[in-house]
Amino acid sequence: MLHVLIVEPYTGKRARIKKMVQEMGHIVVGEARDRVEAIGLMEQGWPTLLLTDLMLPRLEGLALVRQVYEQRIPVVTIVLSDNTRFDYVRQSMQAGAIDYLLKPVKAEELRRALQRAEERVGYFHAAHREFVQAQQFFERLDLIQPGEVIQKHAEMIQSMQSFEEGQQGERLGLFRMLYAKWHYVLKKHGLHFDEPISWEREEEAIAYFQRLCEFWLAQSASAADNSVKLNVKRACDYIRENYRSDHTLAEVSGRFGMSVSYFSVQIKKYTGYSFVNYLNRVRIEKAKELLLQPNLKIYEVAGEVGYDTLQYFNKVFKQAVQMTPGEYRRRLGI
């Protein structure tokens, strides 16, 4: 079953096409008169099939088909036209359309075209699933707490990243549509994220989306500050449970869906310490417990709490406790 967006400037013709599509067992998820309306509906509903008129004389339909193709949007396209010019057919096919049907469209021709579209949709199945999940995320954006927003947004990005290397074009298409959807939502709420889209590599796109999500949270943070704190608390709990590992600021912030700069500010706000100082504080507190065991050598304690060298452990311990580990033991009579 296809989810069809029909783009046709004339109401009567649009109604006729809609009726035919529905009688063939498919769902019409949107109707548009021109390219601008179509893009807006695609950003909201993300159909599996775009059924568009060529829209002479401006050829807006052709421009729409090209936009879908160039942005790798996982939507199958069929062009409708009452013009038989070969160059229009050729340009439509070069822009990714799977068929070019002449008006008035005959039912059997449309049926065959829709059958071919269903076969092609299977190729886009995984990418379209990501679009649907993203749509569900944005539909609930006003209803979920900021901590969950960060978590769900991070999961969505990670899911898009899971596409194999050969599907990089599809990943970039998903990122482009995610960009469009975020800005549609911000505009609807009267907000403007003024950072231009300038990323060229995937890592830059991911960091951009983290900043965009954080911008959204900043605008609604007053109502949900506790939820943001909860997400930072989860990050701190993760550090406390895994203090032996060689954590980096980028690794922990990415794990919890935050950019490095945002997480740096939030962990300092939540704990009173920078990321590195908080990690060292957790390790030193654990080291103090282990130093109470006289059978453990100091270098063994250092290794147990995640320090590679005894020298660095001694330095960090003295900075935190104002004495060396050996002095700490002697003061306690160990």
Side-chain angles (χ1 to χ4, degrees):
M1 181 185 297
L2 297 167
H3 289 194
V4 185
L5 170 61
I6 300 173
V7 188
E8 163 61 54
Y10 298 105
T11 304
K13 292 181 179 180
R14 192 165 62 245
R16 178 176 175 272
I17 295 169
K18 178 180 179 179
K19 182 179 178 181
M20 292 171 65
V21 169
Q22 290 175 330
E23 288 176 347
M24 293 174 189
H26 304 288
I27 299 174
V28 176
V29 296
E31 301 176 50
R33 293 169 296 180
D34 53 35
R35 183 169 65 93
V36 175
E37 276 191 9
I39 291 297
L41 289 173
M42 288 179 69
E43 291 173 2
Q44 296 175 57
W46 296 333
T48 54
L49 172 66
L50 172 65
L51 195 59
T52 181
D53 178 64
L54 201 64
M55 287 184 282
L56 295 170
R58 298 191 305 272
L59 293 177
E60 284 194 351
L62 183 57
L64 175 60
V65 174
R66 283 177 177 156
Q67 184 171 351
V68 168
Y69 178 74
E70 290 170 359
Q71 294 188 4
R72 299 295 193 271
I73 299 172
V75 175
V76 179
T77 304
I78 295 174
V79 171
L80 309 178
S81 178
D82 46 20
N83 193 296
T84 59
R85 282 180 52 177
F86 174 75
D87 58 329
Y88 287 161
V89 178
R90 178 177 54 81
Q91 290 180 63
S92 298
M93 296 304 179
Q94 288 178 338
I98 67 165
D99 218 328
Y100 188 102
L101 303 181
L102 291 176
K103 294 180 178 180
V105 180
K106 297 179 181 179
E108 189 55 34
E109 291 181 352
L110 180 60
R111 187 185 305 278
R112 288 197 295 267
L114 294 182
Q115 289 173 347
R116 286 192 292 272
E118 284 187 288
E119 295 173 0
R120 188 64 184 273
V121 162
Y123 175 77
F124 289 133
H125 177 71
H128 192 267
R129 184 182 64 244
E130 300 295 334
F131 275 55
V132 172
Q133 291 176 350
Q135 175 67 13
Q136 293 171 347
F137 167 80
F138 284 107
E139 285 176 350
R140 297 184 62 239
L141 189 58
D142 288 324
L143 305 176
I144 57 180
Q145 297 295 318
E148 189 178 357
V149 169
I150 291 176
Q151 179 184 348
K152 296 297 184 183
H153 188 260
E155 290 174 355
M156 183 168 58
I157 295 292
Q158 289 169 5
S159 183
M160 290 179 181
Q161 283 184 277
S162 68
F163 277 63
E164 297 176 1
E165 191 63 28
Q167 297 172 294
Q168 186 175 11
E170 283 71 24
R171 288 206 304 268
L172 292 176
L174 290 169
F175 287 152
R176 291 189 182 102
M177 186 58 99
L178 183 59
Y179 166 84
K181 184 60 182 177
W182 259 122
H183 284 271
Y184 172 83
V185 170
L186 293 176
K187 182 178 180 181
K188 186 173 69 173
H189 287 80
L191 301 173
H192 177 66
F193 185 64
D194 57 7
E195 180 179 337
I197 180 171
S198 59
W199 36 270
E200 297 178 358
R201 295 182 295 112
E202 191 170 300
E203 296 78 8
E204 295 172 336
I206 293 167
Y208 177 89
F209 286 124
Q210 286 179 335
R211 293 192 297 273
L212 210 165
C213 183
E214 290 158 8
F215 170 79
W216 165 265
L217 291 175
Q219 304 306 310
S220 56
S222 58
D225 187 52
N226 289 337
S227 190
V228 175
K229 288 180 181 178
L230 178 60
N231 201 49
V232 177
K233 179 182 181 299
R234 290 183 182 133
C236 292
D237 290 343
Y238 171 77
I239 293 169
R240 297 189 72 86
E241 293 169 5
N242 300 275
Y243 58 86
R244 295 183 183 89
S245 302
D246 290 328
H247 297 298
T248 65
L249 178 59
E251 176 253 320
V252 177
S253 62
R255 178 179 289 271
F256 290 90
M258 293 174 275
S259 67
V260 169
S261 59
Y262 185 76
F263 181 57
S264 296
V265 171
Q266 294 302 321
I267 194 171
K268 181 69 179 292
K269 183 178 179 180
Y270 180 76
T271 67
Y273 299 95
S274 67
F275 168 78
V276 172
N277 287 341
Y278 181 74
L279 176 59
N280 282 331
R281 180 180 174 85
V282 170
R283 287 174 167 176
I284 294 305
E285 289 302 315
K286 186 62 179 179
K288 288 164 71 175
E289 295 178 17
L290 295 176
L291 287 169
L292 298 178
Q293 303 178 31
N295 59 311
L296 286 178
K297 305 294 185 184
I298 292 179
Y299 72 84
E300 292 176 325
V301 173
E304 280 292 315
V305 297
Y307 293 104
D308 294 331
T309 68
L310 178 60
Q311 182 181 8
Y312 185 59
F313 171 61
N314 285 335
K315 177 182 178 181
V316 174
F317 192 95
K318 187 171 184 178
Q319 287 176 341
V321 189
Q322 306 304 312
M323 63 184 79
T324 66
E327 291 171 341
Y328 179 78
R329 271 185 161 174
R330 286 192 293 273
R331 174 167 290 191
L332 295 176
I334 301 173

